[in-house]
Amino acid sequence: MSPNAEGRMDSAARGDEIRIGLGLSSMGFVLAGLGGCVAILARDLDEPTSRLALLSSGFAAGLLFVALVGPRLLRSWPMTTVLSLGAVICAVGTVLLAVAPVYTVAIAGGLCIGLGGALLVLVTPLMLDGPTAAARLSRVNAVASATGILAPLAIGALDSLGPTGRLAMLAATPPLLVLAVMTRRAKPVARAPVRIDSAPAVVVGRSRTRRRVGRQVATAVGLGWLRIVLSVAVEFCFVVWAVARLVAAGLPTATAALVGSAFPIGMAVGRVIGPIHWRGWSPVVPSGAFAVVGTLLVSLFDVPGVVAIGLVVAGIGVAPLYPVTLAALVATPGLSPARLAAIGAMASGVAILVAPAALALLARAVDLRTAYLITLPLLAALFALSRRPSNSSVESLGRDDVHIRRDSPCAVDGLAPHVD
């Protein structure tokens, strides 16, 4: 390859990372503000806080829908078109959520945010694939987490001044529209076709092993899917209910929205630090240990300052879980990255649909501080499925049966399948 061609590819890769970073930063702002919006919507619309759990359910429904139709979209449309469409739909949802006069409009806004955000989530691992996928995903998610710090601060500050703090969510709309325009005007980049139903990464050497390979690939994908469900479930329990937990600890709504920035701050720090490696364990385990400590601080103490510290600690631990588990899933040999990205989006949708609602249901039976302990069994299950980095691989297939193409996106920052 000529130096000029390499330069163009590097430039295209940087452009993709910038566009994805802009989209995820806007999404990070919106999602970090979701918890504040739940508390403020309950007040503005005179609705029980638990009923606003449907706001995250609308977001989850969008993820699930895109997980089902996403591969077909990628077969018909370029990834940049999907990215642009997602930005526009997400911008519309943000406006609806910010100005919603009634409950149904707020839920519709959550659904649009889910649809648009899911399209962004779908193309992100595909546009940032390659040997450094986990590092690039962590980088753009770190920027998104840093931007997310601003959302609770803006919501709380605006709410304390008089107007409803939900209007601060409008700040995410211009960047999303800029992304849509910038993506549409970008010069087309030569890419390999997005394979949907084929399995380009795995080459089977003997026909008698194909059935065994299929079973092991299915097992690896299933475990990868479950790990994403668990990591996203823990994250969104904090995203949706952190501000409500601070209100329950005695803070006024506007102040709680401000202090709710504690969790995004922890997330930003955790994603800047990146995955924590300790001995031979998966990075999920030491990171999850921080999340356990944070959960205990949030649940066992009813002092706002201690709860805020717990949110910071939990954020540091939770931050690497999704990028690491997603990169490992997309790196699984045997299915195309596009299909695996859709499976990852579906896992996120299931987690967001179930976990915050389950926490709200549990809070009705006990109280919110006790209900937060629901994250502990989720983390324990994640630990059990992530004891070693090789758990995400199909390493037992054997050198004579399978080899991985060198140009496949399977070598992901130490999480690659150990197959030659």
Side-chain angles (χ1 to χ4, degrees), residues 73-420:
L73 289 179
L74 290 172
R75 186 183 291 121
S76 305
W77 296 348
M79 282 187 280
T80 51
T81 301
V82 175
L83 179 64
S84 180
L85 178 64
V88 171
I89 295 175
C90 191
V92 171
T94 302
V95 172
L96 291 177
L97 183 62
V99 303
V102 293
Y103 175 80
T104 53
V105 175
I107 299 303
L111 179 60
C112 288
I113 291 171
L115 284 169
L119 291 173
L120 299 181
V121 169
L122 181 69
V123 299
T124 291
L126 302 177
M127 295 181 71
L128 302 182
D129 65 350
T132 59
R136 298 174 78 194
L137 284 167
S138 294
R139 209 157 39 232
V140 295
N141 277 285
V143 174
S145 296
T147 306
I149 295 171
L150 302 176
L153 297 175
I155 290 171
L158 188 60
D159 200 69
S160 65
L161 294 175
T164 177
R166 290 184 287 132
L167 292 176
M169 299 290 275
L170 293 173
T173 304
L176 288 167
L177 296 179
V178 168
L179 172 62
V181 173
M182 186 172 67
T183 302
R184 295 295 294 172
R185 290 183 177 180
K187 293 182 179 180
V189 178
R191 294 180 182 274
V194 177
R195 298 177 183 267
I196 304 299
D197 297 312
S198 61
V202 177
V203 180
V204 179
R206 293 196 297 265
S207 59
R208 65 183 176 81
T209 65
R210 290 179 182 175
R211 186 174 299 176
R212 182 163 60 93
V213 169
R215 287 196 302 267
Q216 291 176 327
V217 167
T219 299
V221 171
L223 290 175
W225 181 88
L226 188 54
R227 281 192 286 268
I228 291 180
V229 169
L230 294 168
S231 62
V232 174
V234 172
E235 180 175 339
F236 267 76
C237 283
F238 285 97
V239 166
V240 175
W241 295 114
V243 174
R245 174 68 188 97
L246 289 164
V247 171
L251 291 180
T253 301
T255 306
L258 282 167
V259 179
S261 62
F263 184 69
I265 287 172
M267 289 280 287
V269 172
R271 283 182 172 156
V272 168
I273 295 172
I276 302 171
H277 296 274
W278 185 69
R279 295 184 179 178
W281 290 90
S282 162
V284 165
V285 176
S287 297
F290 276 89
V292 169
V293 173
T295 297
L296 293 175
L297 291 174
V298 169
S299 299
L300 301 182
F301 300 90
D302 213 23
V303 180
V306 177
V307 173
I309 293 171
L311 292 173
V312 173
V313 175
I316 292 172
V318 167
L321 299 182
Y322 174 69
V324 167
T325 53
L326 176 63
L329 175 66
V330 176
T332 305
L335 286 177
S336 69
R339 179 68 68 186
L340 291 165
I343 291 171
M346 179 175 288
S348 296
V350 169
I352 298 169
L353 183 66
V354 174
L359 193 152
L361 187 63
L362 187 59
R364 289 182 181 181
V366 285
D367 56 23
L368 190 57
R369 62 180 288 191
T370 306
Y372 250 101
L373 293 172
I374 195 175
T375 59
L376 295 183
L378 298 177
L379 287 165
L382 185 58
F383 291 165
L385 296 176
S386 307
R387 289 174 297 173
R388 301 285 176 185
S390 59
N391 275 8
S392 63
S393 70
V394 194
E395 62 180 352
S396 59
L397 296 181
R399 294 179 180 271
D400 295 332
D401 298 337
V402 175
H403 69 273
I404 302 298
R405 281 173 38 179
R406 293 186 181 275
D407 59 346
S408 73
C410 293
V412 183
D413 286 5
L415 295 176
H418 297 290
V419 184
D420 293 323

Side-chain angles (χ1 to χ4, degrees), residues 15-77:
D16 285 345
E17 195 164 336
I18 289 171
R19 284 188 285 272
I20 291 296
L22 182 59
L24 292 189
S25 294
S26 301
M27 278 297 298
F29 185 93
V30 172
L31 294 181
L34 200 59
C37 283
V38 166
I40 291 174
L41 278 166
R43 181 201 65 196
D44 291 351
L45 306 181
D46 195 23
E47 294 281 355
T49 302
S50 58
R51 194 176 181 215
L52 269 301
L54 279 178
L55 191 62
S56 62
S57 298
F59 179 77
L63 280 169
L64 291 173
F65 177 75
V66 168
L68 294 175
V69 305
R72 292 183 179 273
L73 289 179
L74 290 172
R75 186 183 291 121
S76 305
W77 296 348

